[in-house]
PDB file of all heavy atoms in Angstrom:
ATOM      1  N   LYS A 112     -58.531  44.034 -19.825  1.00 84.00           N
ATOM      2  CA  LYS A 112     -58.239  42.676 -19.375  1.00 84.00           C
ATOM      3  C   LYS A 112     -57.402  42.683 -18.097  1.00 84.00           C
ATOM      4  O   LYS A 112     -57.650  41.910 -17.165  1.00 84.00           O
ATOM      5  CB  LYS A 112     -57.515  41.906 -20.474  1.00 84.00           C
ATOM      6  CG  LYS A 112     -57.177  40.471 -20.110  1.00 84.00           C
ATOM      7  CD  LYS A 112     -56.498  39.759 -21.270  1.00 84.00           C
ATOM      8  CE  LYS A 112     -56.133  38.332 -20.881  1.00 84.00           C
ATOM      9  NZ  LYS A 112     -55.462  37.612 -22.010  1.00 84.00           N
ATOM     10  N   LYS A 113     -56.405  43.567 -18.042  1.00 85.00           N
ATOM     11  CA  LYS A 113     -55.562  43.639 -16.847  1.00 85.00           C
ATOM     12  C   LYS A 113     -56.357  44.117 -15.636  1.00 85.00           C
ATOM     13  O   LYS A 113     -56.177  43.610 -14.519  1.00 85.00           O
ATOM     14  CB  LYS A 113     -54.376  44.567 -17.100  1.00 85.00           C
ATOM     15  CG  LYS A 113     -53.376  44.017 -18.119  1.00 85.00           C
ATOM     16  CD  LYS A 113     -52.175  44.934 -18.260  1.00 85.00           C
ATOM     17  CE  LYS A 113     -51.166  44.361 -19.244  1.00 85.00           C
ATOM     18  NZ  LYS A 113     -49.969  45.236 -19.401  1.00 85.00           N
ATOM     19  N   LEU A 114     -57.233  45.083 -15.851  1.00 88.00           N
ATOM     20  CA  LEU A 114     -58.071  45.563 -14.748  1.00 88.00           C
ATOM     21  C   LEU A 114     -58.993  44.459 -14.255  1.00 88.00           C
ATOM     22  O   LEU A 114     -59.182  44.290 -13.041  1.00 88.00           O
ATOM     23  CB  LEU A 114     -58.886  46.768 -15.201  1.00 88.00           C
ATOM     24  CG  LEU A 114     -59.865  47.351 -14.174  1.00 88.00           C
ATOM     25  CD1 LEU A 114     -59.109  47.842 -12.936  1.00 88.00           C
ATOM     26  CD2 LEU A 114     -60.679  48.481 -14.799  1.00 88.00           C
ATOM     27  N   LEU A 115     -59.567  43.702 -15.168  1.00 87.00           N
ATOM     28  CA  LEU A 115     -60.436  42.593 -14.782  1.00 87.00           C
ATOM     29  C   LEU A 115     -59.651  41.540 -14.010  1.00 87.00           C
ATOM     30  O   LEU A 115     -60.165  40.972 -13.031  1.00 87.00           O
ATOM     31  CB  LEU A 115     -61.065  41.984 -16.033  1.00 87.00           C
ATOM     32  CG  LEU A 115     -62.080  40.862 -15.802  1.00 87.00           C
ATOM     33  CD1 LEU A 115     -63.266  41.385 -15.000  1.00 87.00           C
ATOM     34  CD2 LEU A 115     -62.540  40.281 -17.132  1.00 87.00           C
ATOM     35  N   THR A 116     -58.412  41.292 -14.420  1.00 86.00           N
ATOM     36  CA  THR A 116     -57.577  40.329 -13.704  1.00 86.00           C
ATOM     37  C   THR A 116     -57.295  40.794 -12.284  1.00 86.00           C
ATOM     38  O   THR A 116     -57.322  40.002 -11.342  1.00 86.00           O
ATOM     39  CB  THR A 116     -56.256  40.114 -14.459  1.00 86.00           C
ATOM     40  OG1 THR A 116     -56.544  39.686 -15.799  1.00 86.00           O
ATOM     41  CG2 THR A 116     -55.409  39.050 -13.773  1.00 86.00           C
ATOM     42  N   ILE A 117     -57.043  42.095 -12.124  1.00 86.00           N
ATOM     43  CA  ILE A 117     -56.810  42.643 -10.781  1.00 86.00           C
ATOM     44  C   ILE A 117     -58.056  42.501  -9.920  1.00 86.00           C
ATOM     45  O   ILE A 117     -57.981  42.159  -8.731  1.00 86.00           O
ATOM     46  CB  ILE A 117     -56.377  44.116 -10.883  1.00 86.00           C
ATOM     47  CG1 ILE A 117     -55.007  44.213 -11.564  1.00 86.00           C
ATOM     48  CG2 ILE A 117     -56.319  44.759  -9.499  1.00 86.00           C
ATOM     49  CD1 ILE A 117     -54.563  45.641 -11.823  1.00 86.00           C
ATOM     50  N   LEU A 118     -59.225  42.748 -10.497  1.00 87.00           N
ATOM     51  CA  LEU A 118     -60.476  42.594  -9.744  1.00 87.00           C
ATOM     52  C   LEU A 118     -60.682  41.143  -9.306  1.00 87.00           C
ATOM     53  O   LEU A 118     -61.192  40.885  -8.209  1.00 87.00           O
ATOM     54  CB  LEU A 118     -61.656  43.070 -10.595  1.00 87.00           C
ATOM     55  CG  LEU A 118     -61.709  44.568 -10.893  1.00 87.00           C
ATOM     56  CD1 LEU A 118     -62.896  44.888 -11.801  1.00 87.00           C
ATOM     57  CD2 LEU A 118     -61.797  45.371  -9.596  1.00 87.00           C
ATOM     58  N   PHE A 119     -60.296  40.206 -10.151  1.00 87.00           N
ATOM     59  CA  PHE A 119     -60.442  38.800  -9.796  1.00 87.00           C
ATOM     60  C   PHE A 119     -59.486  38.396  -8.660  1.00 87.00           C
ATOM     61  O   PHE A 119     -59.819  37.532  -7.843  1.00 87.00           O
ATOM     62  CB  PHE A 119     -60.175  37.914 -11.008  1.00 87.00           C
ATOM     63  CG  PHE A 119     -61.371  37.763 -11.909  1.00 87.00           C
ATOM     64  CD1 PHE A 119     -61.243  37.885 -13.278  1.00 87.00           C
ATOM     65  CD2 PHE A 119     -62.626  37.504 -11.388  1.00 87.00           C
ATOM     66  CE1 PHE A 119     -62.338  37.755 -14.120  1.00 87.00           C
ATOM     67  CE2 PHE A 119     -63.735  37.375 -12.206  1.00 87.00           C
ATOM     68  CZ  PHE A 119     -63.594  37.499 -13.578  1.00 87.00           C
ATOM     69  N   VAL A 120     -58.313  39.021  -8.612  1.00 87.00           N
ATOM     70  CA  VAL A 120     -57.335  38.616  -7.614  1.00 87.00           C
ATOM     71  C   VAL A 120     -57.616  39.225  -6.241  1.00 87.00           C
ATOM     72  O   VAL A 120     -57.128  38.718  -5.217  1.00 87.00           O
ATOM     73  CB  VAL A 120     -55.909  38.987  -8.077  1.00 87.00           C
ATOM     74  CG1 VAL A 120     -55.596  40.445  -7.821  1.00 87.00           C
ATOM     75  CG2 VAL A 120     -54.859  38.100  -7.403  1.00 87.00           C
ATOM     76  N   LEU A 121     -58.420  40.281  -6.195  1.00 88.00           N
ATOM     77  CA  LEU A 121     -58.699  40.941  -4.919  1.00 88.00           C
ATOM     78  C   LEU A 121     -59.340  40.020  -3.882  1.00 88.00           C
ATOM     79  O   LEU A 121     -58.930  40.019  -2.712  1.00 88.00           O
ATOM     80  CB  LEU A 121     -59.556  42.184  -5.151  1.00 88.00           C
ATOM     81  CG  LEU A 121     -58.844  43.401  -5.748  1.00 88.00           C
ATOM     82  CD1 LEU A 121     -59.831  44.542  -5.963  1.00 88.00           C
ATOM     83  CD2 LEU A 121     -57.698  43.843  -4.853  1.00 88.00           C
ATOM     84  N   PRO A 122     -60.385  39.230  -4.222  1.00 89.00           N
ATOM     85  CA  PRO A 122     -60.973  38.359  -3.184  1.00 89.00           C
ATOM     86  C   PRO A 122     -60.019  37.307  -2.643  1.00 89.00           C
ATOM     87  O   PRO A 122     -60.260  36.758  -1.566  1.00 89.00           O
ATOM     88  CB  PRO A 122     -62.151  37.693  -3.919  1.00 89.00           C
ATOM     89  CG  PRO A 122     -62.462  38.600  -5.051  1.00 89.00           C
ATOM     90  CD  PRO A 122     -61.151  39.179  -5.473  1.00 89.00           C
ATOM     91  N   ILE A 123     -58.941  37.026  -3.388  1.00 87.00           N
ATOM     92  CA  ILE A 123     -57.960  36.055  -2.907  1.00 87.00           C
ATOM     93  C   ILE A 123     -56.955  36.715  -1.976  1.00 87.00           C
ATOM     94  O   ILE A 123     -56.536  36.131  -0.968  1.00 87.00           O
ATOM     95  CB  ILE A 123     -57.247  35.388  -4.097  1.00 87.00           C
ATOM     96  CG1 ILE A 123     -58.270  34.663  -4.978  1.00 87.00           C
ATOM     97  CG2 ILE A 123     -56.178  34.418  -3.624  1.00 87.00           C
ATOM     98  CD1 ILE A 123     -57.676  34.041  -6.221  1.00 87.00           C
ATOM     99  N   LEU A 124     -56.560  37.952  -2.292  1.00 88.00           N
ATOM    100  CA  LEU A 124     -55.544  38.639  -1.498  1.00 88.00           C
ATOM    101  C   LEU A 124     -56.129  39.332  -0.274  1.00 88.00           C
ATOM    102  O   LEU A 124     -55.502  39.358   0.783  1.00 88.00           O
ATOM    103  CB  LEU A 124     -54.819  39.673  -2.373  1.00 88.00           C
ATOM    104  CG  LEU A 124     -54.032  39.122  -3.569  1.00 88.00           C
ATOM    105  CD1 LEU A 124     -53.378  40.263  -4.334  1.00 88.00           C
ATOM    106  CD2 LEU A 124     -52.981  38.114  -3.117  1.00 88.00           C
ATOM    107  N   VAL A 125     -57.332  39.886  -0.406  1.00 89.00           N
ATOM    108  CA  VAL A 125     -57.937  40.628   0.708  1.00 89.00           C
ATOM    109  C   VAL A 125     -58.508  39.634   1.722  1.00 89.00           C
ATOM    110  O   VAL A 125     -59.117  38.622   1.341  1.00 89.00           O
ATOM    111  CB  VAL A 125     -59.045  41.562   0.193  1.00 89.00           C
ATOM    112  CG1 VAL A 125     -59.737  42.272   1.339  1.00 89.00           C
ATOM    113  CG2 VAL A 125     -58.465  42.567  -0.790  1.00 89.00           C
ATOM    114  N   PRO A 126     -58.308  39.853   3.024  1.00 90.00           N
ATOM    115  CA  PRO A 126     -58.900  38.966   4.036  1.00 90.00           C
ATOM    116  C   PRO A 126     -60.416  38.887   3.887  1.00 90.00           C
ATOM    117  O   PRO A 126     -61.070  39.910   3.633  1.00 90.00           O
ATOM    118  CB  PRO A 126     -58.498  39.625   5.363  1.00 90.00           C
ATOM    119  CG  PRO A 126     -57.283  40.427   5.041  1.00 90.00           C
ATOM    120  CD  PRO A 126     -57.467  40.902   3.629  1.00 90.00           C
ATOM    121  N   PRO A 127     -61.007  37.703   4.023  1.00 91.00           N
ATOM    122  CA  PRO A 127     -62.454  37.558   3.815  1.00 91.00           C
ATOM    123  C   PRO A 127     -63.300  38.449   4.718  1.00 91.00           C
ATOM    124  O   PRO A 127     -64.367  38.910   4.306  1.00 91.00           O
ATOM    125  CB  PRO A 127     -62.705  36.071   4.111  1.00 91.00           C
ATOM    126  CG  PRO A 127     -61.400  35.405   3.857  1.00 91.00           C
ATOM    127  CD  PRO A 127     -60.354  36.402   4.267  1.00 91.00           C
ATOM    128  N   ILE A 128     -62.825  38.718   5.937  1.00 91.00           N
ATOM    129  CA  ILE A 128     -63.625  39.526   6.851  1.00 91.00           C
ATOM    130  C   ILE A 128     -63.751  40.964   6.343  1.00 91.00           C
ATOM    131  O   ILE A 128     -64.722  41.663   6.669  1.00 91.00           O
ATOM    132  CB  ILE A 128     -62.992  39.504   8.264  1.00 91.00           C
ATOM    133  CG1 ILE A 128     -63.994  40.007   9.300  1.00 91.00           C
ATOM    134  CG2 ILE A 128     -61.709  40.295   8.305  1.00 91.00           C
ATOM    135  CD1 ILE A 128     -65.149  39.101   9.523  1.00 91.00           C
ATOM    136  N   ALA A 129     -62.778  41.424   5.533  1.00 90.00           N
ATOM    137  CA  ALA A 129     -62.787  42.808   5.067  1.00 90.00           C
ATOM    138  C   ALA A 129     -63.952  43.070   4.122  1.00 90.00           C
ATOM    139  O   ALA A 129     -64.582  44.129   4.187  1.00 90.00           O
ATOM    140  CB  ALA A 129     -61.460  43.138   4.380  1.00 90.00           C
ATOM    141  N   TYR A 130     -64.233  42.118   3.221  1.00 91.00           N
ATOM    142  CA  TYR A 130     -65.372  42.305   2.322  1.00 91.00           C
ATOM    143  C   TYR A 130     -66.568  41.458   2.737  1.00 91.00           C
ATOM    144  O   TYR A 130     -67.658  41.591   2.160  1.00 91.00           O
ATOM    145  CB  TYR A 130     -64.983  41.970   0.880  1.00 91.00           C
ATOM    146  CG  TYR A 130     -64.510  40.551   0.659  1.00 91.00           C
ATOM    147  CD1 TYR A 130     -65.410  39.507   0.414  1.00 91.00           C
ATOM    148  CD2 TYR A 130     -63.151  40.239   0.673  1.00 91.00           C
ATOM    149  CE1 TYR A 130     -64.982  38.216   0.200  1.00 91.00           C
ATOM    150  CE2 TYR A 130     -62.714  38.952   0.459  1.00 91.00           C
ATOM    151  CZ  TYR A 130     -63.631  37.942   0.216  1.00 91.00           C
ATOM    152  OH  TYR A 130     -63.186  36.656   0.014  1.00 91.00           O
ATOM    153  N   GLY A 131     -66.384  40.596   3.724  1.00 92.00           N
ATOM    154  CA  GLY A 131     -67.482  39.750   4.161  1.00 92.00           C
ATOM    155  C   GLY A 131     -68.577  40.522   4.878  1.00 92.00           C
ATOM    156  O   GLY A 131     -69.766  40.239   4.696  1.00 92.00           O
ATOM    157  N   ILE A 132     -68.204  41.515   5.689  1.00 92.00           N
ATOM    158  CA  ILE A 132     -69.213  42.285   6.430  1.00 92.00           C
ATOM    159  C   ILE A 132     -70.097  43.103   5.493  1.00 92.00           C
ATOM    160  O   ILE A 132     -71.332  43.052   5.593  1.00 92.00           O
ATOM    161  CB  ILE A 132     -68.516  43.168   7.486  1.00 92.00           C
ATOM    162  CG1 ILE A 132     -67.846  42.277   8.553  1.00 92.00           C
ATOM    163  CG2 ILE A 132     -69.514  44.117   8.136  1.00 92.00           C
ATOM    164  CD1 ILE A 132     -67.055  43.046   9.579  1.00 92.00           C
ATOM    165  N   PRO A 133     -69.536  43.890   4.549  1.00 92.00           N
ATOM    166  CA  PRO A 133     -70.425  44.605   3.614  1.00 92.00           C
ATOM    167  C   PRO A 133     -71.272  43.654   2.771  1.00 92.00           C
ATOM    168  O   PRO A 133     -72.443  43.939   2.497  1.00 92.00           O
ATOM    169  CB  PRO A 133     -69.451  45.407   2.736  1.00 92.00           C
ATOM    170  CG  PRO A 133     -68.192  45.475   3.509  1.00 92.00           C
ATOM    171  CD  PRO A 133     -68.128  44.246   4.341  1.00 92.00           C
ATOM    172  N   MET A 134     -70.675  42.520   2.352  1.00 93.00           N
ATOM    173  CA  MET A 134     -71.434  41.569   1.548  1.00 93.00           C
ATOM    174  C   MET A 134     -72.575  40.957   2.356  1.00 93.00           C
ATOM    175  O   MET A 134     -73.696  40.788   1.846  1.00 93.00           O
ATOM    176  CB  MET A 134     -70.506  40.467   1.034  1.00 93.00           C
ATOM    177  CG  MET A 134     -71.196  39.439   0.160  1.00 93.00           C
ATOM    178  SD  MET A 134     -70.040  38.231  -0.504  1.00 93.00           S
ATOM    179  CE  MET A 134     -69.376  37.543   1.021  1.00 93.00           C
ATOM    180  N   ALA A 135     -72.322  40.633   3.624  1.00 93.00           N
ATOM    181  CA  ALA A 135     -73.383  40.101   4.473  1.00 93.00           C
ATOM    182  C   ALA A 135     -74.493  41.127   4.676  1.00 93.00           C
ATOM    183  O   ALA A 135     -75.686  40.782   4.721  1.00 93.00           O
ATOM    184  CB  ALA A 135     -72.802  39.676   5.822  1.00 93.00           C
ATOM    185  N   THR A 136     -74.125  42.405   4.780  1.00 94.00           N
ATOM    186  CA  THR A 136     -75.132  43.464   4.915  1.00 94.00           C
ATOM    187  C   THR A 136     -76.057  43.502   3.703  1.00 94.00           C
ATOM    188  O   THR A 136     -77.286  43.621   3.829  1.00 94.00           O
ATOM    189  CB  THR A 136     -74.444  44.826   5.098  1.00 94.00           C
ATOM    190  OG1 THR A 136     -73.580  44.766   6.245  1.00 94.00           O
ATOM    191  CG2 THR A 136     -75.468  45.930   5.300  1.00 94.00           C
TER     192      THR A 136
END
Side-chain angles (χ1 to χ4, degrees):
K112 181 178 179 180
K113 292 184 178 180
L114 177 61
L115 184 62
T116 303
I117 294 175
L118 292 177
F119 277 134
V120 81
L121 285 178
I123 300 177
L124 297 180
V125 177
I128 196 68
Y130 60 86
I132 294 176
M134 181 176 59
T136 303

